[in-house]
Amino acid sequence: MEIVIVRDAAEAGRVAALKIASVVERKPEAVLGLATGSSPTGIYASLAARVQAGELDFSRASGFALDEYVGIPLEHPESYASVIRRDVVEPLGMDPDRVRVPDGRADDIEAAAVEYDEAIAAAGGIDIQILGIGANGHIGFNEPTSSFASRTRIKTLAPQTRADNARFFDDPSQVPTHCMTQGLGTILDAHEVVLVAVGSSKASAVAGMVEGPLSAMCPGSALQLHQHATIVVDEEAAALLTLADYYRYTYANKPAWQRFEH
Ligand code: GLP
């Protein structure tokens, strides 16, 4: 894993956006793995500004969302289909026909989940997967004890996750209890992963993910098995990392050919 410690959330979004931009510049028809939540908003804002400036073009890229709630209508403003359209597809100028979100409303949810993984594979796999991490270490909606081999499937949301996401709903009771999420195995198949975590509420999950043992109790620790994962954290989210100074030193001494900052 490459750990990049930055000043604040805005800087985290800017730095992580450089990773996405370099993939799309190299391969305009790249397949992006799209995350929702607060963590990636800085990435999308930074990319959208570059699209507006005419520096980046996502019109040929395609996307697969990480997850979706089960049990809320498509047109609900907090369905991830709505969020992805509003926060990603429109500001980045992506083609809506090339962006898929797991179908949490399918009659046969298990078949829809299998088909989702097949569609990712048929697209050639995800070139770069954007991720956040939950306070309990979840990535996507893979809650603690999710199998490292899991594929896209229906999951039950942990009470903490429902409480954390209640801020997006009028009433906590409206937060769905179930979701469909890419599995940890699905996420590990992505060619590259970039995860953003900011704020002190993420410090313990970040420490577990980066330095903790490989454990299904911290689903993010599965990323230790990924060969190309970049973790961008602000100072608060990095607060419990034992080797923080080493990560700073490593980043400061990256050879020019390896740098992704312009
Ligand atoms: C959400 C999403 C995840 C996200 C995580 C953290 O519920 N399903 O993809 O990474 O929880 O959310 P946030 O970035 O808002 O803190």
Side-chain angles (χ1 to χ4, degrees), residues 35-40 66-67 69 80 131-135 138-141 157 161 164-165 167-168 181 196 198 201-202:
T36 53
S38 314
S39 304
L66 257 184
D67 44 18
Y69 291 116
Y80 283 176
L131 290 173
I133 187 166
H138 74 238
I139 54 175
F141 269 137
L157 296 177
T161 304
D164 288 348
N165 286 4
R167 67 189 191 279
F168 296 114
T181 181
V196 170
V198 296
S201 67
K202 303 294 174 70

Side-chain angles (χ1 to χ4, degrees), residues 174-198:
Q174 291 176 0
V175 185
T177 50
H178 291 84
C179 63
M180 194 193 288
T181 181
Q182 286 187 32
L184 293 175
T186 316
I187 293 168
L188 289 176
D189 283 348
H191 303 310
E192 183 173 354
V193 166
V194 59
L195 183 147
V196 170
V198 296

